[in-house]
Amino acid sequence: MTVFEALREQLAKYKQDHILEFWSELSDDQRKELIEDINELNFDEVNLFFERATASLEESGEKLDDKLKPIPEAKFLSIAKTAKEHLDIFKNEGLRRIAANQVGVLLLAGGQGTRLGFSHPKGMYNIGLPSNKTLFCVQAERIVKLQQLAAELTGCYGRITWYIMTSEHTKQPTQEYFEMHDFFGLREEDIVMFEQGSLPCYDMNGKIFLDEKHRVAKSPDGNGGLYRALRDRGILDDMERRGVLYLHAHSVDNILIKVADPVFIGYCVAQKSDCAAKVVEKAHAHEAVGVVCIVDGKYQVVEYSEITNKTAEMRNVDGKLTFSAGNICNHFFTTRFLRKIGDLHEKELKLHVAKKKIPHIELVSGSKITPDKINGIKIEKFIFDVFQFAEKFVAVEVPRDEEFSALKNADSVGKDCASTAKLDIYRLHKKYIEEAGGTIEGDECEISPLLSYAGEGLKPIVNDQHFICPVYLCAENESYQNGHLN
């Protein structure tokens, strides 16, 4: 039996033998690439995914109002309503865990900056701060500073392992960018990059599209692909070898992210939580964000489209929205929980379906077609769909103006864009200076993460000082140009 005959027999069992339609036209190298694509696909699983995904489409219109309950107060910490001395206890616990090398960060960095008009990984984007620091740079420096703060508290210099999940298209440029900038002051061995998986793109009948005559059409499997990638890329093994017990997971595009936030980590450790979420209070009842709540006794994120206006507008006696915990892709996990998901529950994760216009090779003509209407589906998993498997889940409500400013759109949109992200940084850093006893004329104000992680340590520098904007406060011996240390 020839290679072609063996492949055709294998694919015919799953009604996917059209993938070999152009075999006779392919070069030897192209045939190797196509065979690699085929071998990467578990067709039992792939066909099951399509069946499950299309079945979920029929359920997606269901309203969940009668099944919903808000997060109980015992499982909910509001940063704004918690006394500073209690927050300091959590913070110190988190710093002790950092000093003991028990904390890692899971950065979701698979996205390109396409919607920003930027043809590189989004983490390389410069929003226009006085320092010209990029998202990657700012987050790296927050890790550097946290390690210093942990050492100052404990006398032990621990390391935060930074796990960065890239996509097929962002892995190489991200690696090269970090190498170019000498890993932003972190040790190369403490930064572990790995690639998320992908799933095939289907037509409406479950046939897998060809992107080229020798390549299967695929798309990233969503941020919920994290769990499979952690298992299959050996990252869970790496965590266990290093003794990393606690992970802070977040997306790359939040300029205000408190990376490896010691308050969050310390609170979750104190609560013996295996899974947690940071949330922000919804800006209004109909804000288009998912809400963390309980459905049929299990924690999950419910999309705004899955509840009626009446439920969205429900309020407590204090006037606060009953379902107010807006999801911001900011989570805590124990390594043990991640192992349980990878080993037991990953295959049970909900499949989310997006109907799309998918470019593909037309089988009759062999031409590449870019459709002008929806012709197929892409399937992805979401990171928050593991909440239901937690033995002890907690939520932490954080002030939006201190911890959440998303970068999703071009400036022309005027929302969740570089301009709004920059203004949010300016406002927060101006507040830090004023709280430390300084005064400022103007609004353009940036504080280097290497000087202060979250406003701490500024009093000796700014107390009784008057600043005229633009203001950029940096650490001693720090000099930046174009987003990297000179």
Side-chain angles (χ1 to χ4, degrees):
M1 184 181 292
T2 65
V3 171
F4 172 77
E5 290 169 338
L7 287 171
R8 185 173 60 184
E9 181 177 311
Q10 173 193 357
L11 293 172
K13 289 192 299 184
Y14 301 100
K15 301 180 180 178
Q16 301 287 358
D17 46 314
H18 63 282
I19 291 173
L20 299 173
E21 183 72 23
F22 304 101
W23 181 266
S24 62
E25 302 177 26
L26 304 182
S27 67
D28 287 344
D29 286 343
Q30 288 175 328
R31 288 178 178 179
K32 286 179 183 177
E33 288 187 60
L34 183 58
I35 290 170
E36 286 177 9
D37 275 5
I38 292 169
N39 288 339
E40 285 178 4
L41 296 174
N42 177 333
F43 284 94
D44 285 320
E45 184 178 65
V46 161
N47 281 7
L48 180 61
F49 278 171
F50 180 79
E51 292 171 11
R52 284 178 55 204
T54 50
S56 73
L57 281 175
E58 299 175 5
E59 303 168 1
S60 60
E62 178 188 6
K63 298 296 183 182
L64 300 175
D65 301 57
D66 294 338
K67 302 178 180 180
L68 261 61
K69 291 185 179 179
I71 303 169
E73 286 188 17
K75 304 280 188 178
F76 191 85
L77 177 78
S78 169
I79 295 295
K81 296 177 181 178
T82 302
K84 182 180 182 300
E85 55 265 31
H86 291 145
L87 295 179
D88 285 344
I89 291 172
F90 301 140
K91 176 183 175 182
N92 290 341
E93 176 65 19
L95 291 173
R96 283 191 288 269
R97 299 294 177 166
I98 289 169
N101 300 304
Q102 294 177 350
V103 174
V105 171
L106 283 169
L107 178 64
L108 309 177
Q112 299 272 38
T114 308
R115 287 170 62 185
L116 308 174
F118 183 66
S119 59
H120 303 285
K122 191 184 282 190
M124 293 167 57
Y125 193 77
N126 173 2
I127 67 170
L129 293 171
S131 66
N132 282 316
K133 293 177 182 179
T134 63
L135 295 170
F136 279 142
C137 179
V138 168
Q139 291 170 31
E141 290 183 356
R142 287 177 183 154
I143 292 175
V144 171
K145 184 61 176 177
L146 263 186
Q147 292 175 162
Q148 293 173 355
L149 292 173
E152 289 169 9
L153 177 71
T154 66
C156 299
Y157 198 93
R159 304 286 183 177
I160 295 170
T161 307
W162 200 9
Y163 297 99
I164 301 177
M165 187 173 78
T166 67
S167 64
E168 176 185 0
H169 301 293
T170 64
K171 185 174 183 180
Q172 183 175 343
T174 298
Q175 181 71 42
E176 291 172 351
Y177 183 70
F178 273 72
E179 291 171 355
M180 184 188 311
H181 298 305
D182 199 23
F183 302 93
F184 301 102
L186 295 166
R187 299 192 310 176
E188 180 178 0
E189 57 264 39
D190 294 331
I191 300 175
V192 181
M193 297 185 189
F194 63 102
E195 190 178 316
Q196 75 181 102
S198 60
L199 290 171
C201 303
Y202 305 83
D203 71 13
M204 293 302 186
N205 296 311
K207 299 288 188 183
I208 295 172
F209 280 124
L210 287 173
D211 184 55
E212 302 291 346
K213 292 180 179 180
H214 65 292
R215 298 307 304 261
V216 169
K218 296 178 288 186
S219 62
D221 55 1
N223 56 27
L226 170 71
Y227 307 108
R228 174 175 295 202
L230 290 175
R231 181 193 66 202
D232 293 351
R233 309 288 186 188
I235 305 304
L236 288 173
D237 297 334
D238 183 86
M239 292 173 182
E240 290 164 354
R241 281 195 302 269
R242 292 173 186 256
V244 174
L245 302 180
Y246 311 106
L247 284 304
H248 181 203
H250 63 86
S251 56
V252 73
D253 56 7
N254 177 7
I255 190 67
L256 297 185
I257 189 73
K258 287 186 174 179
V259 185
D261 178 13
V263 175
F264 187 37
I265 290 165
Y267 174 70
C268 292
V269 170
Q271 291 290 309
K272 296 182 170 56
S273 171
D274 55 355
C275 177
K278 277 192 180 185
V279 299
V280 296
E281 184 175 357
K282 288 180 65 175
H284 54 83
H286 302 294
E287 184 180 10
V289 296
V291 175
V292 182
C293 56
I294 298 175
V295 180
D296 288 336
K298 300 287 187 181
Y299 286 93
Q300 74 174 66
V301 173
V302 173
E303 298 298 338
Y304 61 94
S305 59
E306 294 177 305
I307 56 176
T308 63
N309 289 343
K310 181 180 178 182
T311 296
E313 293 165 1
M314 286 176 58
R315 294 186 180 271
N316 302 332
V317 291
D318 61 1
K320 184 176 180 177
L321 290 169
T322 301
F323 297 100
S324 64
N327 180 52
I328 57 172
C329 193
N330 193 324
H331 309 304
F332 166 91
F333 305 112
T334 64
T335 304
R336 181 178 295 180
F337 177 77
L338 293 173
R339 174 63 76 182
K340 182 176 78 170
I341 296 301
D343 289 350
L344 300 178
H345 299 301
E346 196 280 333
K347 60 183 177 295
E348 302 172 41
L349 292 185
K350 183 177 179 181
L351 300 175
H352 299 264
V353 178
K355 295 182 178 180
K356 296 284 187 178
K357 302 172 185 176
I358 302 175
H360 63 284
I361 298 295
E362 205 275 321
L363 295 179
V364 175
S365 66
S367 301
K368 186 72 173 277
I369 291 177
T370 302
D372 55 8
K373 60 182 179 179
I374 290 171
N375 66 321
I377 66 171
K378 295 182 179 182
I379 298 172
E380 59 183 351
K381 302 173 184 179
F382 292 164
I383 189 170
F384 52 71
D385 282 328
V386 298
F387 291 177
Q388 62 179 309
F389 304 115
E391 293 179 18
K392 186 162 186 185
F393 179 90
V394 295
V396 176
E397 183 182 82
V398 299
R400 186 186 294 248
D401 64 350
E402 294 184 6
E403 297 205 33
F404 183 59
S405 180
L407 179 62
K408 303 288 187 187
N409 306 311
D411 264 0
S412 57
V413 177
K415 178 184 177 183
D416 295 338
C417 59
S419 291
T420 57
K422 184 166 57 177
L423 290 175
D424 287 339
I425 279 278
Y426 289 165
R427 278 192 289 267
L428 178 60
H429 288 189
K430 182 176 181 178
K431 182 170 78 169
Y432 285 161
I433 290 174
E434 290 174 341
E435 288 177 344
T439 56
I440 304 179
E441 286 184 43
D443 297 310
E444 189 175 324
C445 176
E446 182 188 1
I447 301 169
S448 168
L450 296 176
L451 179 65
S452 179
Y453 174 82
E456 79 293 327
L458 293 177
K459 196 173 185 66
I461 301 168
V462 306
N463 190 40
D464 294 329
Q465 299 294 314
H466 183 71
F467 299 90
I468 298 175
C469 290
V471 174
Y472 176 51
L473 300 183
C474 60
E476 189 176 355
N477 300 323
E478 180 186 358
S479 173
Y480 274 82
Q481 182 177 359
N482 297 326
H484 61 93
L485 186 64
N486 291 324

